[in-house]
Amino acid sequence: MVHYFINTLNKKGHLHPELQGHFSEHLGRCIYEGLYVGENSEIPNRNGMRIDVVDALKEMGIPVLRWPGGCFADEYHWMDGIGPKEKRKCMVNTHWGGVTEDNSFGTHEFMELCDQLGCKNYINGNVGSGSVREMSEWVEYMTLDGISPMTKLRKENGREDPWTINFFGVGNENWGCGGNMTPEYYGNLYRNYQTYVRTYDPKKPIFKIACGANADDYEWTRGVCQTCFKSPEWMHGFMDGISLHYYTVPDTWEKKGSATDFDEKDWYKTLKKTLKMEELIRRHTAILDQYDVNRKVGLIVDEWGTWYDVEPGTNPGFLYQQNTIRDALVAGINLNIFNKHCDRVRMANIAQMVNVLQAVILTDGEKMIKTPTYHIFKMYKVHQDAELLDSHIDTTEIGLEDENKVPNLTESVSLGKDGKIHITMTNLSCSEAYDVDTAITAEGDIKSVTGEIVNGKIDDHNTFEDPEKVTLKAFDAVKAEGSRLTFTIPAASVLHLEVTV
Ligand code: AHR
């Protein structure tokens, strides 16, 4: 029997909806075909955006969307993506397959997409190959409500009112594809560039994000902080967040492993690597704590998820991969970790939303399917804007190889806006179910409990021929008595229980 404790009287922090954010890059079939098909497409669309995909994403619950990259961001010149489409300049997408980008999806289209999705925007500016002026004029173009050359241009392009920028990234992976910089060099550039990311409307401050580290590159975080935080008062309106990128790659970067053809050893190895996220957040937080003692600067995990070898026969530069029950586990584990670290983690964006890496949606021409990861996001949306509750579970170590042992269970619990307690739990074992005895400390007894689950064989996945193989199912094998809940969590599963007290 596994013992599990929840104390509803001890709230541990706010779960910002943006912990469940997404990312869309000009990469492969993410933007073109996946999200945007143009007004003249045969695929049903609203102002060029696929209706099926937008509707599915809204149902899933998408709080924020990052764009235009990734590596693409630091070679993107926003002025090429405005004005009449037939006059827009083409470019070569050197990072992703060397394809010609016609810039038909630009600033106006991205803002339209966010409007249709009802989500916040997170725009990533170009430091690597851009200029301070270019970044500053982009912000002016988007947000100034006054008389200026940029607002004139925006109005000429059909948009009278300014938009709001919610989050703005000053460069992406500037330690690598974004310019191969040192942390000190980037830190100085950050100080310079961010100065001109002006908040024109004081009621709508722009949340500014510095480029943070790749995985366990703690020297990067330390170097940027050292350069930027000369004194604590500098921080106000200077840096609101710093990013962290970490991908779950089962094997090596050269030979990552297949998305669907894997065995139980690969399963545990993948989950072990996923759990590293916890250590990364803890250790980067410890560095930030030395500079930002009041924890004002958020850790922004704006790229995470599984990265496998591309599906056989697809363009290696398009990063198209399938998605199985293993990915459902990776999603559930990560989202539980972000919840548990909500005192520092302010936003997280899975890579990427459609047709790229750990996508929630895959398309094939006019067809669309939802992946197991989609169902986990849909399941976890109850945590958006909720309060994290104190919880503890007694876990045991499981796995087939000594170096790849993992805890059998992970969990997080929140008190939702609906007044209900939401438990999300992952079972990492591919073969064992566990009996869980839950003691809930609350001001009354349990009145009712309902559940939903995603589970199956470890490599189960949805295809265009069998789109509903993995989906959310009702889970009612749970017993409530007084302040105790007992249930059996099946192997290889992600479970949500909704408890009314
Ligand atoms: O998500 C794919 C790529 O991974 C992004 O463009 C880049 O930021 C990261 O290296």
Side-chain angles (χ1 to χ4, degrees), residues 23 25 27 70-72 96 172-173 177 245 247 303 307 319 351-352 357:
F23 172 32
E25 180 166 10
L27 194 179
C71 294
F72 184 79
W96 306 120
N172 168 73
E173 295 197 350
C177 66
H245 288 184
Y247 285 98
E303 288 187 32
W307 194 325
L319 311 186
Q352 298 189 359
L357 301 178

Side-chain angles (χ1 to χ4, degrees), residues 4-6 332 336-337 339-340 380 389-393 409-413 423-426:
Y4 184 31
F5 306 93
I6 297 171
N336 280 342
I337 293 174
N339 282 354
K340 292 269 184 190
Y380 275 63
L389 296 178
D390 191 16
S391 60
H392 173 78
I393 193 155
L409 302 163
T410 79
E411 57 71 47
S412 66
V413 194
I423 302 168
T424 48
M425 187 175 285
T426 61

Side-chain angles (χ1 to χ4, degrees), residues 242-254:
I242 183 164
S243 65
L244 166 66
H245 288 184
Y246 177 62
Y247 285 98
T248 298
V249 180
D251 274 311
T252 62
W253 280 101
E254 291 67 42

